[in-house]
Amino acid sequence: MYRTGRDLLSEELEIVDAAALDAAIRADQAQMLADGRSVLVFNAANAAIVAGVFHEFYSRAQIAVWLLAFVLLVAARLIHAGRYRADAASPEEVDRFLTLWTLGSTLTGGLWGAASSLLWLTPDTSYHAFVVFAAGGMAAGAVITNSAYLPAMLGFIAVDVLPAIVALFAWRQPTAMAMGALLAAFTAVLIILGLRANGWLISVSRRRLVQEALSAALHQRNALLHAVSTVATELATAAPSAAAIPDLLESVGGAIEADRILVFESGSTPTAPPALLHFWRRSESPIALDATFFEADEARGAFLSAPLLAALTERRPMTAATRTLESGPAKSFLEQAGVRSVLFAPIVVDGAAWGWIEVEDCRAERRWTAAEIDALRILGDLIAGSVARRRYIDRLRDANEVVERSPTLLFRLRMDSRRPRLVYVSHNIALFGYDPWELTDPASSLADCVHPDDLDKVAASLARAAADGSRGGMVEFRFRRRDGGYRWLDARYAARERPGRSQLIEGVALDVTERKEVADQIAILAQTDALTGLANRRIFLDALRRAFANAEAGGERFSLLYIDVDHFKEVNDRLGHASGDALLEALAARLKGHCRAGDVVARLGGDEFAILQSNSRDAASASVMAAKICALSAEPYALPGGDLRATVSVGVALFASALEGPDAMLARADRALYRAKENGRNQYRIYSETAPAENVST
């Protein structure tokens, strides 16, 4: 079924899917059982020992049959476990292995339970004690071997000890009944221990799997942010051609790991079929369909289903699993296209549903995460901004359309007693929810539509324009819509002198909300490192130049610490780039957490970091900081590829008035870092004029 609104949000708050987590835990349980298969050999060995005791009560043929059953059953279970370990198991194969393992464990316990038949053949307590010892010992072995999976453990124990307990109580002799009670109590203790062991094993598996899922979600979020920032840059700088859009969709599709992304423009009426504008398909998609399949009339008509139309009208994203859809054109078409999961996000232009973006997954019935939904929503907004900009350019060809339909407002203000009053505004003020007469009514006040924080700025700018005559002016401010929301306007105007009459100010105002929002997003991305969130190289060098100039002018002195991860290439080669990225993120968090508010921490590139230590007047304070960095960096890291210990080398340069500039100071820190690595790594060196990079170490 379709999922939207509050239900969709509450589901996406859970990063780890419960069903997928349970399946992964079952796979871990199966792997633990398969890894412990060698213990089965002891069953056959113990069976041979027990058979030697039973020769007085059973014939050789009976003992041989019992031993042969043990050998065949143990051999079959060993082969089964070996085959499972050799192949990558699907969820169905995991369930089949667990079922067969439980059956084999129960049959093995049943053979041991059959040995308890000796209790019915002799009243000798020494034999009774031997059988009790054998049954209890094998039950303990079942706890050790099968506690990872309770059905296998309980299946073995039940058929192993119950026959012995029943037989002992059947003798109705104090000694036999005492042994039966002792065996029952021992079995209860074993079951309790098995339950606790099972709970502990599952909790360990769950924590590991959740950590892996969270790490994967974090990396996907970073990839999505990078993809969205790329699209934002492309769409904000120029109107891309139709051929460039698929490349932009590919960057988002790769981050979301989708099979197809389609961009549709809605028809002129709700019942008119939509038009496919852009199409991208992953080359490895299991269903290799091209754009012509989605351009057919029956395909376009299939999207005119009530749930999708409702979502577009309400301007909200929507997800759907093909399997759960009601029978109809939409479900039939998605099944033909091989779609198992789909995500829709509306494209809203000028306050109306213009079309939608559709992301399809042909491999799994997935739960779309909040990050994926947000990324698609932002992509829709960016495309909407591009469409709106293109519309605006097209409308410039007709002056009447510019006035009546474009986002550009024409206005005229009358300066009465230096208080502006709106006397004219173009009809496209309706985009903000107003009728022109509402704002030009003498009883209304322009101040009611301006954000309180911008009132003084707007008043001062208008006053300057009135004083300067025809020179005019410009101001950006937030304008309140009828619904209470605010939009950014860029107003440009000039005063018109009217001798003997009140002065008029005339101009145009352009809605620049999207431009400012995109500019703010790009500004943030331009100042930070995408992986670690620290300042990037450019921002750090700017901070270094400011600190250097301030110190030269008599301000506070500072130190520069140049940091490099030891043997970082080996981490990437041995554990993979995902673990390398996780190491850099963890190290960045430690550096940021152990620096003061006035310090600047940055990633310069690769595995290189730098710290600008403010108010550092001598080598002693810099040494304390460098030693702290070496110590905290050497603490273990929990990475996706396993726990790791990594160290860093640090080069330190102190501010000196004799330095030629910031670049020279950075070069000194680099030389000190080189000397620290040359002398064995995991240490720091402070640059000195008399003995460069030699005077202090960890």
Side-chain angles (χ1 to χ4, degrees), residues 55-135:
H55 72 278
E56 295 180 10
F57 302 92
Y58 298 96
S59 66
R60 291 184 178 179
Q62 290 174 321
I63 294 176
V65 170
W66 188 70
L67 285 176
L68 179 61
F70 252 117
V71 172
L72 292 177
L73 183 57
V74 168
R77 296 180 69 189
L78 287 173
I79 294 172
H80 179 223
R83 288 179 176 175
Y84 177 82
R85 283 167 51 87
D87 300 325
S90 65
E92 294 76 15
E93 290 170 338
V94 170
D95 291 339
R96 184 163 51 251
F97 173 82
L98 291 175
T99 300
L100 292 176
W101 185 270
T102 301
L103 177 61
S105 180
T106 303
L107 292 175
T108 305
L111 289 175
W112 282 110
S116 300
S117 61
L118 175 65
L119 297 173
W120 300 93
L121 302 179
T122 176
D124 192 333
T125 57
S126 60
Y127 284 106
H128 290 184
F130 178 81
V131 172
V132 169
F133 177 81

Side-chain angles (χ1 to χ4, degrees), residues 431-434 448-452 477-489 511 513 517:
L431 296 174
F432 298 86
Y434 299 104
D448 295 336
C449 296
V450 178
H451 193 284
F477 64 98
R478 284 160 289 185
F479 185 81
R480 185 174 63 83
R481 293 170 48 95
R482 176 182 287 279
D483 59 10
Y486 284 90
R487 304 287 291 179
W488 278 97
L489 294 182
D511 188 339
T513 305
E517 290 175 350

Side-chain angles (χ1 to χ4, degrees), residues 1 29 38 161 169 262 294 548 550 696:
M1 60 182 295
Q29 291 174 309
S38 59
V161 301
F169 277 97
L262 304 92
F294 298 90
F548 196 94
N550 180 60
V696 180

Side-chain angles (χ1 to χ4, degrees), residues 229-275:
S229 66
T230 301
V231 174
T233 302
E234 291 291 334
L235 294 179
T237 54
S241 64
I245 291 291
D247 293 336
L248 301 178
L249 297 181
E250 180 179 4
S251 63
V252 177
I256 296 180
E257 298 180 352
D259 289 298
R260 287 188 290 262
I261 299 183
L262 304 92
V263 179
F264 286 92
E265 181 179 6
S266 301
S268 56
T269 65
T271 57

Side-chain angles (χ1 to χ4, degrees), residues 527-564:
Q527 296 177 13
T528 58
D529 175 62
L531 176 63
T532 63
L534 299 178
N536 58 23
R537 185 183 188 91
R538 181 175 64 83
I539 296 302
F540 180 82
L541 292 179
D542 289 343
L544 177 60
R545 294 186 185 100
R546 290 194 301 271
F548 196 94
N550 180 60
E552 280 190 318
E556 66 176 24
R557 301 168 69 88
F558 64 97
S559 300
L560 172 61
L561 287 77
Y562 206 151
I563 305 164
D564 187 88

Side-chain angles (χ1 to χ4, degrees), residues 1-3 318-322 324-325 340-344 368:
M1 60 182 295
Y2 292 93
R3 299 193 305 274
M318 181 183 66
T319 68
T322 303
T324 60
L325 292 177
R340 301 186 63 182
S341 299
V342 64
L343 167 62
F344 301 92
W368 301 94

